[in-house]
Amino acid sequence: MPATYEIYLLAPEADYPLVHLDWGASADAAGTSHTRTAVGWLEYVNVVNDVGSWRMGLPYPQFDENLARLDARLVVWRKPAGGHRYLDFAGYVRTDPVDFYQRGNVLYMELRGPCGNFDLKRREIEAFSGTAGANKSGPADDVMKEYVYENLGAGAAADRDLTALGFTIQDNLSAGTTISKAASYKNLLDALQDIADDSHSTEATAAYFGCVPLGNGWQSEFQTRIGQWGNDHRHLSGPSGVTGAQGAVVIGLDRQNMDNASLVQDRMNEATFVYGLGPGEGIARNIQTATDTTRVGASPRNRIEISVNANNADSDAEVAAAARAKLRENRPRRSFSGTMVETPATRYGIDWGHGDYLTAVFAGRVMDCRVDAVQVRIADGRESVNATLRSEA
C-alpha cells in the first residue's frame, strides 16, 4: 500500500476514542488499551465548499455495533510513503446504527456519514428579515464567520451552540471580496455557498470555507481561505500566467500521472443576464441586474435571461448580490476529471492535496484547475485516489 492509515471512532460527547480500526488485529493499539478492529474497506471524499461523505465496511460480528453511536467522530490519519502523518478526514456516523450486507460467505456491517462540514448544514439562520442577524455586508470571509458565530458558535442560543463540543471559529481575516447578503431563515450551508459564489466577482479575493478538524480530530474550527482552499501549484504556462507560490504541479496523459480523464464543457444551463427581484410590488418593486458582457457577446443570441427572488433583501446592494450569485451559478461549466496516478513528482498528500490549484494538460488544452473533490478508497490492501478537478473559466 502506498500509504498507511490510522482510523478511529471518537465519542460524540467528549474527546476519547471508542475504537481503533485498522487492517490487522491487535489486543492493544499503540499502548492505549483500546482493541483494534479490522476494517474490510474504507472510502471517503473531501469536497471544497460542500459536504463530503464516507463509507466503511466492517466484518460482523467482530465489530461491536453499539460503538456506532450517532455523531461519533470518524477520524482518518494518513501517512503517504516518504511523507508525514497528517489528519486527512473527519466525519460523523449517521447510520442508525449500522447497515448490513452479505458478500459471499461474509456478513458485513457498513457505517457511513458526512464530513465535518455537515455541522454547517445542521442550522437555519434564525433571524427575521431586515434584522442584523439576517442582513450583513462586508468582506465575504468575515460575513461567513458572523453567520456561523450566531448560529453554531458562542453567539447562538445555548441549545444551538456547539462550542462545548470542540467547535471554534477562526479569527476574522477581512480579506475577502466585499459582499452584501440577506439570509432570513435560510440554511446556513446554502447561505455560505451563496456568499462564496458572490465573492468570485473578484477572483483574487474569492472566499472558500470549511470546518477543519484540529487536534486528534474531535475538535474542529470553521475557517475561511482566500483565493483557493489549498495550495497554489499552478504552472506559468497556464491561462493565469503565474507560477504557484508552492511550486508548479502539472498533470497530463503524457506525464503518466493521470488516467481515465474526461473534459465536459456544458452551456445548456447558461445564463448571462439576471434580474434580481427585490421587495415591493408592481412598478415600485426593487429590480437590480447582473450581467456578464463577455459571455453575452459570445454569439448574437447569447443574451440569456433568468430571474432570482430576492424579496427578503433590504437594500439595492443585497438584491444585486443575489443577482450576481445567480449569474455565477449559471455560468458555463467546464469540468475536468480523472484518476491521479502517483509518480515521484505527483504524490497525494505530499505534492498536491484537496483544494489545491494545479495545471492540467489534456486534449491540446492547458487548464488551471482546482482539486474540487478527492475520493480515497482503501480495500484489499490497495489504495486508489480519484480527484475531480474543475476549471473556474
Side-chain angles (χ1 to χ4, degrees), residues 6 13 126 148 187 210 230 232 271 286 289 296 320 330 338 344 348 354:
E6 297 170 48
E13 75 282 356
E126 189 181 58
V148 173
N187 181 264
D232 189 349
N286 185 345
T289 63
V296 167
N330 288 272
Y348 173 58
H354 166 238

Side-chain angles (χ1 to χ4, degrees), residues 7 10 16 44 60 87 108 150 180 187 213 218 244 256 269 276 285 289 319 324 339 343 369 373 378 380:
I7 305 164
L10 307 180
Y16 68 88
Y44 60 89
Y60 179 81
L87 183 52
Y108 274 95
E150 293 173 359
S180 295
N187 181 264
W218 189 79
Q256 299 183 326
N269 297 307
R285 188 162 195 181
T289 63
V319 178
R324 288 195 304 271
T339 301
T343 70
C369 299
I378 312 105
D380 301 322

Side-chain angles (χ1 to χ4, degrees), residues 236-383:
L236 182 64
S237 64
S240 62
V242 301
T243 298
Q246 283 76 38
V249 173
V250 180
I251 63 170
L253 298 177
D254 60 337
R255 295 171 178 263
Q256 299 183 326
N257 56 9
M258 180 176 68
D259 197 8
N260 302 317
S262 65
L263 175 63
V264 178
Q265 302 177 95
D266 182 15
R267 301 188 82 145
M268 291 294 292
N269 297 307
E270 181 181 16
T272 60
F273 192 98
V274 180
Y275 294 96
L277 308 180
E281 296 182 3
I283 62 173
R285 188 162 195 181
N286 185 345
I287 306 293
Q288 303 294 325
T289 63
T291 186
D292 186 321
T293 55
T294 299
R295 290 198 281 119
V296 167
S299 87
R301 297 176 181 270
N302 212 45
R303 179 174 166 125
I304 305 171
E305 301 174 351
I306 60 172
S307 61
V308 59
N309 188 358
N311 197 49
N312 291 330
D314 287 323
S315 67
D316 291 354
E318 290 171 358
V319 178
R324 288 195 304 271
K326 194 69 174 178
L327 183 68
R328 175 172 169 75
E329 178 185 336
N330 288 272
R331 71 194 185 279
R333 297 287 181 167
R334 181 170 72 181
S335 179
F336 175 77
S337 64
T339 301
M340 303 293 290
V341 178
E342 286 208 344
T343 70
T346 52
R347 297 161 296 173
Y348 173 58
I350 298 178
D351 302 298
W352 66 276
H354 166 238
D356 287 1
Y357 264 118
L358 48 80
T359 298
V361 181
F362 182 66
R365 293 163 173 79
V366 180
M367 299 166 285
D368 288 335
C369 299
R370 187 181 71 221
V371 182
D372 248 11
V374 178
Q375 179 193 61
V376 178
R377 180 176 174 83
I378 312 105
D380 301 322
R382 293 192 299 270
E383 175 193 63

